[in-house]
Amino acid sequence: MSAFFENFGLSELVAKPEDTFRLATLASVEGQRIPGYGGEYCRCRLGDAIVNVRLRQDSETGESELLGMDTHGASDCLWACEAADDLTPAHYDELSRRLLVTGSSGAAAVVEIVNADVLPGIWPGTALRLNMAGFPREITYLPAEAAETPRQVEEGVLLGKGGLFACGYAGEAVPEEERNLTRLFGVVKDVRVGETYMGMELMTTFVRATVETALGDVELCHTAELVAEEQRDLVKVGAAVSALCVLSGDAAAGDWAGGIVYDEQSDLLALRWFFEEGNANRLRPILHSECVYDSDRAEGQIHGAESVVALLKDVEAALTPESCYFARLAHLTESTEGLPYGRGKACLALAQGGPEQYVALCFLELDSVGRIKGIHLSGDGRYAFEVD
């Protein structure tokens, strides 16, 4: 969860609980709806500042529950990185995530993930494409030549140009309120004046400074007042900058810009998340209303999305630590006469008792828009498969 209205000079918008509720209502009504698996988000632009509202839908009443708000910047900075560790605090709601991410250079950063639930699941190694903004808690602008000399940002920590230090990941001794922090040291590539609006009315201005890092560019959003007066002439292209900040990565970017992606791989990954982590309700958005479930280990079929979800909840409730599933994306390597699926068909390989003790394969049938209209579990040993 990352709500930093103060970085846009917008603290007054959430000064009182009733103000916060008023803003959340406005964003929910006027914002872009972004569907997730366990709820939805509403992205509302206030000029160059963005408010993201998190909403969870009650599966029984259909009513939406406001979980909270995040802020982001109108950034065009994209990171191609991968998840290294899940750092999500226990008190976060199910639509919020905090991750340690890494890149091919070996650089790492702690990132609060905005619109996280548009992704079917996140495991170590999951490739991510994030729209990036940063909210400095402290920032120092330096002459351009300072970028050529490594800077000591903490005791024993030197950062070269473009360097990142995930100080929030430095061990259990880090206080909870500091575990979302990353230090960076880089060169300013672009500076713009950000503006926030309510309707046509200009509310505030702030600094938008794009900084180059080892993981990609990030747009730092902060008020002019955060910069020491003697450094304000250095807020320009080419200057060096050192910042302690909260990094915000919007997962609703690239293929996921509109929310959930409906295709076979995404649907299989969502099912993998269910088999390993539970929460059958999260599958509702990708199930066709007339979805059918069957297994060659049981007689009959289960018809209808609600009945399928109810069955999967029973499966989840019956699992113990010893019988929990391990699920991996896989594909068939051969076609065998008499079997309905052949070479190349994607599936989930399900194991119990150990990650390679496979007991069944899960196949999907999709409708024309990529929703699941059929789930078939098979324990037929004639299927030859390979884990992806």
Side-chain angles (χ1 to χ4, degrees):
M1 296 183 288
S2 55
F4 296 97
F5 290 93
E6 65 271 22
N7 282 66
F8 303 109
L10 296 175
S11 297
E12 289 188 4
L13 286 183
V14 290
K16 301 176 182 178
E18 56 266 33
D19 298 330
T20 303
F21 182 76
R22 188 180 301 113
L23 178 60
T25 301
L26 172 70
S28 300
V29 172
E30 298 191 3
Q32 173 196 0
R33 295 270 170 170
I34 301 175
Y37 289 87
E40 68 175 355
Y41 306 91
C42 297
R43 177 194 284 153
C44 183
R45 291 193 62 153
L46 303 177
D48 295 320
I50 294 175
V51 174
N52 284 282
V53 174
R54 304 188 307 277
L55 299 170
R56 175 174 55 201
Q57 189 173 48
D58 188 302
S59 59
E60 296 182 0
T61 66
E63 295 182 356
S64 294
E65 175 190 358
L66 173 64
L67 297 179
M69 289 188 291
D70 302 303
T71 53
H72 199 65
S75 163
D76 56 5
C77 300
L78 291 174
W79 283 10
C81 54
E82 62 179 45
D85 199 358
D86 188 346
L87 309 180
T88 308
H91 67 272
Y92 273 29
D93 60 68
E94 62 266 37
L95 300 187
S96 302
R97 298 290 288 277
R98 179 191 296 167
L99 301 174
L100 180 75
V101 305
T102 58
S104 57
S105 66
V110 177
V111 180
E112 297 282 359
I113 308 298
V114 177
N115 298 321
D117 204 50
V118 302
L119 302 177
I122 302 175
W123 297 267
T126 295
L128 301 171
R129 190 165 177 81
L130 303 173
N131 178 284
M132 293 299 301
F135 300 113
R137 307 293 85 198
E138 304 168 3
I139 193 162
T140 302
Y141 286 89
L142 302 161
E145 56 268 23
E148 304 308 317
T149 303
R151 181 174 177 82
Q152 182 168 327
V153 294
E154 291 191 9
E155 185 177 352
V157 179
L158 287 175
L159 290 183
K161 183 167 57 178
L164 294 157
F165 174 56
C167 47
Y169 192 66
E172 291 298 320
V174 178
E176 170 58 35
E177 64 272 14
E178 297 179 10
R179 292 185 181 179
N180 60 349
L181 296 176
T182 295
R183 288 193 179 274
L184 62 82
F185 180 55
V187 174
V188 178
K189 295 178 63 175
D190 186 36
V191 176
R192 287 175 280 180
V193 176
E195 299 178 334
T196 66
Y197 286 86
M198 185 68 74
M200 299 296 291
E201 180 184 354
L202 175 66
M203 293 188 292
T204 65
T205 60
F206 63 96
V207 177
R208 300 174 64 186
T210 302
V211 179
E212 186 175 8
T213 80
L215 284 173
D217 295 347
V218 59
E219 184 173 292
L220 301 183
C221 303
H222 63 85
T223 59
E225 291 73 22
L226 190 64
V227 183
E229 188 170 353
E230 64 272 16
Q231 298 173 14
R232 291 179 186 174
D233 288 342
L234 295 172
V235 183
K236 59 185 178 182
V237 174
V241 63
S242 175
L244 175 67
C245 55
V246 177
L247 295 177
S248 173
D250 188 348
D255 292 342
W256 289 271
I260 292 173
V261 171
Y262 299 93
D263 61 23
E264 186 171 50
Q265 183 176 36
S266 298
D267 293 348
L268 284 169
L269 285 171
L271 269 170
R272 177 188 174 188
W273 187 263
F274 160 73
F275 280 116
E276 294 187 340
E277 305 292 337
N279 193 0
N281 282 328
R282 202 169 172 269
L283 297 174
R284 291 179 186 275
I286 60 173
L287 295 180
H288 188 282
S289 61
E290 298 178 1
C291 178
V292 175
Y293 171 95
D294 67 85
S295 169
D296 58 16
R297 296 181 175 182
E299 295 183 1
Q301 297 178 324
I302 305 297
H303 291 264
E306 292 303 317
S307 297
V308 171
V309 169
L311 172 69
L312 294 177
K313 286 182 176 180
D314 290 342
V315 170
E316 180 182 349
L319 291 177
T320 66
E322 293 74 27
S323 65
C324 66
Y325 283 106
F326 299 86
R328 297 293 182 269
L329 290 182
H331 63 278
L332 300 184
T333 57
E334 297 178 10
S335 298
T336 302
E337 186 176 352
L339 294 178
Y341 303 108
R343 180 183 176 88
K345 174 65 176 175
C347 58
L348 273 185
L350 301 178
Q352 285 184 302
E356 296 184 3
Q357 298 183 32
Y358 297 108
V359 295
L361 298 178
C362 177
F363 299 98
L364 301 182
E365 299 293 337
L366 308 183
D367 66 10
S368 59
V369 297
R371 287 183 171 85
I372 300 172
K373 66 178 182 181
I375 302 174
H376 175 66
L377 260 64
S378 175
D380 196 318
R382 291 177 294 168
Y383 279 120
F385 67 93
E386 185 176 288
V387 173
D388 296 342

